[in-house]
Amino acid sequence: MENAYAPISEACVKALSDKTYEKRKIAASEIEKMVADFNAKKNFGQIRRIIDVLSKDFVTSNDSNKKKGGLIALAATSIALGKDTEKFIDEIVNPVLNCLMDSDTRVRYFASESLYNVVKVSRGSIIPMFPSLFTSLSRLVTDPDQSVKNGSELLDRLLKDIVIESSSFFDLDAFIPLVRERIMAKNSFSRQFIISWISVLNSVPEINMVVYLPEIILGLFQMLEDNMLEIQRMCEALLAQFLKTIQADPKAADISQMMNVLIIQAQSTNPLIQFTAITWIKEFVQLAGGDIIAFSSGIFTAILPCLAFEGESKKNIKDCATAVNVHLLELMSSGHNNKQKNLENLDLDSVMEVLRQYLIHSSVPTKIAVLKWVHHLFTEVHDEMSSHANNLFPVLLRDCLSDNSDEVVLQAIVVLAEIVNSATAKGSDFDQLQYKHFLMELLTLFSENKLFLENRGTLIIRQLCRLLNAESIYRTFAEILQEENTNLRFASTMVRTLNMILLTTSDLFDLRNTLRDIKTERSASLFECLYRCWSHCAVSTVSLCLLAQCYQHVSEIVVLFAYMEITVDFLVEVDKLVQLIESPIFASLRLALVSHANDNVDAQHLSRALYGILMLIPQTEAFNLLRNRLQCVPNYWGQPARINSKSSNEAQSPVDFEKLFAHFKRIQDLHRLQRLEQRKKNQF
């Protein structure tokens, strides 16, 4: 009967199927000699027949011993063939690869050992089969059996050596899809396997892995959160290598393709992932320049929350995010060479949408950064930003101005002022009506929140006067408050606030000087406007007239005080006025008391007014202060009376004081009636 396994002898077949390793090894040695002999004679048909028998009758057998024997024999065949293994590479390797998935642990072990020997002999000729080998190897590294895993590590190192020495023939286009399929694996051993391969290939000068980085960068970032510290460090080192390569040659990588991945990873809750992603973004902003501007909205989404981080644990993230913010600002600043081109890359609508969202962030540093960005954009692209002004105003007014942080409030006012200035300079739709509407909204905020007015009113108004035209601010406030007919108490409070700022703030020096000379049309107009508004507060009206040196009119108002209700609030305001008279602001007033100009008319009216105030207030510290001052004044009462003569400023001014006085009395009557109504309501 003919031998079905020919040219392999029946004895060899029996030994190759034996349960003992030694007998199988002896049989494999016999096959090795046989193949070597056939190869020497170039009898490739017989060699193919042997490989076929080993593959079909042994390696695919259900008998595990036969499988083991077949695997050893295939390795022996490859050893015998040497470099000629290349001619039979598919027939030898594929059956072995199939056994790597066998359910029997020992079969998998012998398969890995067999494959190692085949690869060792084949060297570079195995490269065409790399995808299949890599796929099988990626499974082996996660094998539950340690012996199989150890075998896979030996095979892995060997295969890497071969790829390195055959790098010129290595097909990266075929390798990258294999990596992409496995790079999102959660298994630590799989991750370690993938990272090691990418690292090895990246270290080969002839291989440019950076080109393929956009396809694998997401997976690499995901590996940074692995539970194994070793894998984290490997991944960190690999990413650092890639970044160093890109820094050396920015054109080597497609930065734009990676930005969206980096932006998403920069929002990770994992500190290592977040820091690494923001570090990359920082480098890309510096390397790519204007091209990165297109990603501004995404970058803002990533970095702005990081500015809120506190403590040492996240200080590196905060510092890096701050650096990104600074670099972006530089790219869109007037001093930058490519400013115009950079601005063209800016998607302003999406940027402003993000910035508006973060204007109501809980973090002060974040809000400050956003406000500075909004201000910067209004200064650099004010025409394009004009359409965003209406959307910004509610947030700036309602949220930012009422913020607990003074720094946020001040920066918000800087932005509001810039919006107004930009619009005014360019004659945009943000006209005087909208300017007035802005101040009306501010007054509404003050009226709705008494504490807000008390805590922030002075700060906000002073800052606005610094940044905008103080005269325009005061004139517009006065025009608005003149129309207040319902909430008279608020109008009075607001007037007192504005008056105190006017009389005590160095920034309003020019405005005070304007009011001191009401002989000109402009000054007279401003005085009349403020007077009509100031009429809501009797004492503030007196201080305004004292500032404008309308001393006769002051004395007339003081006389009227005798017929007005003297409330606690009134006395408090008079007390403040006495204190102000002693301040540097009213130095000219004190000197007027001893002036000999105009036959002492100004001094007589002023002295009369101040004595009237002295008689109104109780004998408190303020009383003593004013009395001591008046005791230093020459006795004008013994001089010829000129009380019916107008003071110098009034005589030369176009202001209609009689009309203003009538208005003052009418407004004070309204306040008296409202107080009476309120008392009636309180009784019920």
Side-chain angles (χ1 to χ4, degrees), residues 17 75 77 150 222 264 329 421 464 513 527 621 629 654 658:
S17 308
T77 300
N150 292 341
Q222 291 299 299
I264 293 172
L329 270 172
N421 283 333
L464 282 174
N513 280 346
F527 174 79
E621 183 181 343
R629 174 62 64 182
E658 290 184 7

Side-chain angles (χ1 to χ4, degrees), residues 401-446:
L401 288 187
S402 57
D403 196 88
N404 292 328
S405 165
D406 285 352
E407 192 178 0
V408 171
V409 174
L410 291 173
Q411 191 61 46
I413 297 171
V414 169
V415 174
L416 287 165
E418 183 58 40
I419 293 173
V420 173
N421 283 333
S422 296
T424 304
K426 290 295 178 181
S428 73
D429 294 337
F430 195 91
D431 55 18
Q432 184 61 27
L433 287 176
Q434 288 171 298
Y435 175 78
K436 187 175 182 179
H437 176 71
F438 156 49
L439 294 182
M440 285 178 67
E441 284 290 316
L442 185 56
L443 287 174
T444 301
L445 284 176
F446 290 149

Side-chain angles (χ1 to χ4, degrees), residues 487-531:
N487 194 352
L488 298 181
R489 188 174 181 84
F490 166 70
S492 177
T493 302
M494 198 66 221
V495 165
R496 287 197 295 271
T497 302
L498 290 167
N499 185 63
M500 189 59 66
I501 295 170
L502 173 65
L503 296 178
T504 59
T505 305
S506 59
D507 300 298
L508 298 184
F509 176 81
D510 290 338
L511 184 58
R512 288 194 293 271
N513 280 346
T514 299
L515 289 167
R516 284 193 177 104
D517 183 18
I518 58 172
K519 296 185 286 294
T520 66
E521 287 292 335
R522 173 192 161 199
S523 298
S525 172
L526 176 62
F527 174 79
E528 288 178 338
C529 181
L530 296 186
Y531 186 105

Side-chain angles (χ1 to χ4, degrees), residues 281-395:
I281 291 174
K282 177 173 73 72
E283 295 301 325
F284 282 7
V285 169
Q286 292 176 293
L287 294 171
D291 294 337
I292 217 74
I293 298 296
F295 298 93
S296 294
S297 60
I299 294 174
F300 285 141
T301 303
I303 67 167
L304 288 174
C306 299
L307 303 180
F309 290 163
E310 296 179 355
E312 287 299 317
S313 61
K314 291 190 175 182
K315 184 179 183 300
N316 57 343
I317 299 175
K318 180 178 181 178
D319 290 345
C320 198
T322 302
V324 173
N325 190 50
V326 170
H327 293 324
L328 275 179
L329 270 172
E330 289 173 353
L331 288 175
M332 285 188 277
S333 296
S334 299
H336 198 277
N337 295 333
N338 298 315
K339 172 198 164 187
Q340 194 56 44
K341 179 184 176 183
N342 294 346
L343 291 172
E344 290 172 1
N345 291 330
L346 182 68
D347 184 350
L348 192 58
D349 290 340
S350 64
V351 165
M352 288 308 302
E353 183 178 349
V354 173
L355 293 178
R356 276 197 305 273
Q357 291 173 4
Y358 283 102
L359 271 177
I360 55 175
H361 195 269
S362 59
S363 159
V364 170
T366 297
K367 282 184 279 197
I368 293 295
V370 172
L371 287 167
K372 287 184 176 179
W373 262 107
V374 174
H375 178 261
H376 185 73
L377 290 171
F378 267 104
T379 59
E380 298 294 341
V381 286
H382 39 73
D383 290 344
E384 293 84 346
M385 283 291 290
S386 59
S387 62
H388 296 279
N390 290 332
N391 291 331
L392 281 169
F393 259 85
V395 183

Side-chain angles (χ1 to χ4, degrees), residues 535-603:
S535 295
H536 283 291
C537 178
V539 179
S540 294
T541 307
V542 168
S543 65
L544 177 67
C545 292
L546 287 174
L547 180 66
Q549 302 174 54
C550 307
Y551 300 134
Q552 181 191 12
H553 193 66
V554 170
S555 64
E556 292 171 356
I557 294 175
V558 170
V559 170
L560 187 64
F561 283 176
Y563 305 97
M564 294 170 56
E565 181 180 8
I566 306 298
T567 64
V568 174
D569 287 344
F570 176 87
L571 291 175
V572 169
E573 288 304 306
V574 174
D575 189 286
K576 290 179 181 177
L577 175 59
V578 172
Q579 301 291 335
L580 283 171
I581 289 172
E582 294 297 316
S583 71
I585 297 294
F586 281 113
S588 59
L589 177 149
R590 297 193 297 274
L591 289 173
L593 287 169
V594 295
S595 173
H596 289 282
N598 301 308
D599 297 323
N600 300 322
V601 172
D602 287 356

Side-chain angles (χ1 to χ4, degrees), residues 245-260:
T245 302
I246 296 171
Q247 288 170 329
D249 182 11
K251 295 180 180 179
D254 192 334
I255 289 176
S256 61
Q257 281 195 31
M258 291 184 275
M259 277 305 300
N260 286 329

